Amino acid sequence: MVIITNGKISLGIPPTLPPYLNPINDPSYANIICVISIVVILGSQVAECRVQNSKLASFDYPAINCRKHSAVLTDFGAVGDGKTSNTKAFNSAISKLSQYSNDGGAQLIVPPGKWLTGSFNLTSHFTLFLQKDAVILASQDESEWPQLPILPSYGRGRDAPKGRYSSLIFGTHLTDVIITGDNGTIDGQGSSWWKKFKSGQLTLTRPYLIELMYSDQIQISHLTLLNSPTWFVHPIYSSNIIVNGLTILAPVDSPNTDGINPDSSTNVRIEDNYIVSGDDCIAIKSGWDEYGIKVGKPSQHIIIRRLTCISPDSAMIALGSEMSGGIQDVRAEDITAITTESAVRIKSAIGRGAFVKDIFVKGMNLNTMKYVFWMTGTYGQHPDKGFDPKALPKVSGINYRDVTAKNVTIAGKLEGISGDPFTGICVSNVTIEMIEKKSKKLPWNCTDVAGVSSNVSPQPCELLPVKKEKYDCPYPSDKLPIEDVQFKTCSFKSSVF
């Protein structure tokens, strides 16, 4: 095994080994790893050398924190042929590197190749880095996916009432964890899971691709994520999260392949992501009915910028429908949807309780949409019959401005709850081009909502009366704390192994 500490190599070679047998002292060994076994035979030392081509070039990358120690996945016996299971290699590497958690942290480099693996757990003060042309492939062997208990804020699995499978990359109660790369790929190989879900064969809920629970200081960036069994990126009960530079791809008919789902999490920055999904590109959640109410952890202080989404059957950004811990202070700007069912959608229902409030959206560019504005108070899926029918969600302070939309079927469908209207809705500076052949339909349909509008075409429903003077819906001028987090330039130094 090779550990690099600040560019210095530790091979465990005894100091009495003759210099000509020491690969560090011989430039002819520039492209090999030697694992040295010392055998004492009649007083002499014999060196056995296991050789493999493993030299990696130096590189820099942006990250919230840099690491003092480094290792390469192949140092732990991994084989990148796309067929050999590397679950033990990943777990061994991370277990070994966890000892450096309090000594500057460690980074594990995944080199080019196809690295088949089941679920594995990360550690604190740790970076998982995927080089260009590195592909982590999710195993199809269910025995390599440990079972986890249900999430306390959900009360049951999303696919089946009992437990759930661990995500491919998992961690809990971590601090300072980074998953990044030079656009390396993590492929969930989800098609077999989708088939089982559609045919009702699952007894446990499908795994996510990446899930971090009860964790702080998270970065997930500069990767391509493919074909998750269900949700791709799921930080839950966590804080201080940056998700940027991801390309997330799943077939548009794949079930529940949400892209990025912050869940009961706070201080989140989501920037510069491209998502093609069979479900919501981004969904902000906080628990389901009585279980989410009991846990009571809101999703809040979230900024979303420069998102591009394609999702013909779902939303660019969904708030809910599981929002029983509350959702507040969400900001979205400079976002694009193409061939997507709806833009920023609010989903809730009787029994959810809690709130969706202080939502600010500025700068939407939309093309080929069924709905531009869509709010639903009757999204009636429940975990069980124990929900409280008196637990009504409070939806208020919803602000949209500076929107351009083309090829639209319905401008707005805003449906609150009878006796519990959605209030404080503001829509300003909006131009919507409707599909001509469907122009006879009412462009807006509103019930149980209240608010205002300004400079909106086509003119909104009467429940959003036009302000006489020109008016811009509010958008916060302050910064969230996560916006001030700066990336450092971190390095992996090339060395002769």
Side-chain angles (χ1 to χ4, degrees), residues 217-392:
Q217 300 180 49
I218 296 167
Q219 175 189 336
I220 304 171
S221 64
H222 302 115
L223 297 166
T224 294
L225 309 181
L226 304 177
N227 301 323
S228 178
T230 180
W231 302 349
F232 277 86
V233 177
H234 186 224
I236 183 167
Y237 319 133
S238 295
S239 58
N240 299 308
I241 301 159
I242 297 176
V243 181
N244 78 302
L246 298 183
T247 299
I248 297 177
L249 304 174
V252 295
D253 61 350
S254 55
N256 311 116
T257 51
D258 297 36
I260 303 168
N261 286 11
D263 197 340
S264 291
S265 293
T266 187
N267 215 24
V268 182
R269 185 169 117 199
I270 301 172
E271 296 178 318
D272 301 300
N273 298 293
Y274 178 87
I275 303 173
V276 181
S277 173
D279 211 320
D280 302 318
C281 288
I282 294 176
I284 300 171
K285 300 176 179 291
S286 64
W288 205 2
D289 287 3
E290 69 269 28
Y291 305 103
I293 292 171
K294 181 178 180 179
V295 171
K297 290 183 70 68
S299 281
Q300 58 188 341
H301 312 313
I302 297 171
I303 178 76
I304 301 168
R305 294 193 186 103
R306 297 180 297 278
L307 166 70
T308 299
C309 167
I310 298 173
S311 182
D313 296 321
S314 291
M316 175 170 54
I317 300 172
L319 306 174
S321 76
E322 305 91 340
M323 40 63 64
S324 299
I327 297 172
Q328 65 179 344
D329 190 14
V330 176
R331 310 169 185 195
E333 59 183 54
D334 190 13
I335 54 180
T336 299
I338 306 164
T339 314
T340 296
E341 186 177 41
S342 61
V344 178
R345 184 184 180 190
I346 296 174
K347 300 188 288 187
S348 190
I350 292 171
R352 293 289 193 268
F355 50 83
V356 177
K357 63 182 181 180
D358 304 328
I359 309 300
F360 306 94
V361 181
K362 178 177 70 172
M364 289 198 294
N365 183 9
L366 313 173
N367 195 327
T368 310
M369 310 289 292
K370 184 174 182 180
Y371 304 97
V372 174
F373 304 103
W374 195 8
M375 301 180 187
T376 306
T378 56
Y379 203 90
Q381 294 179 333
H382 301 283
D384 52 41
K385 295 180 180 180
F387 70 93
D388 181 1
K390 296 180 181 179
L392 302 179

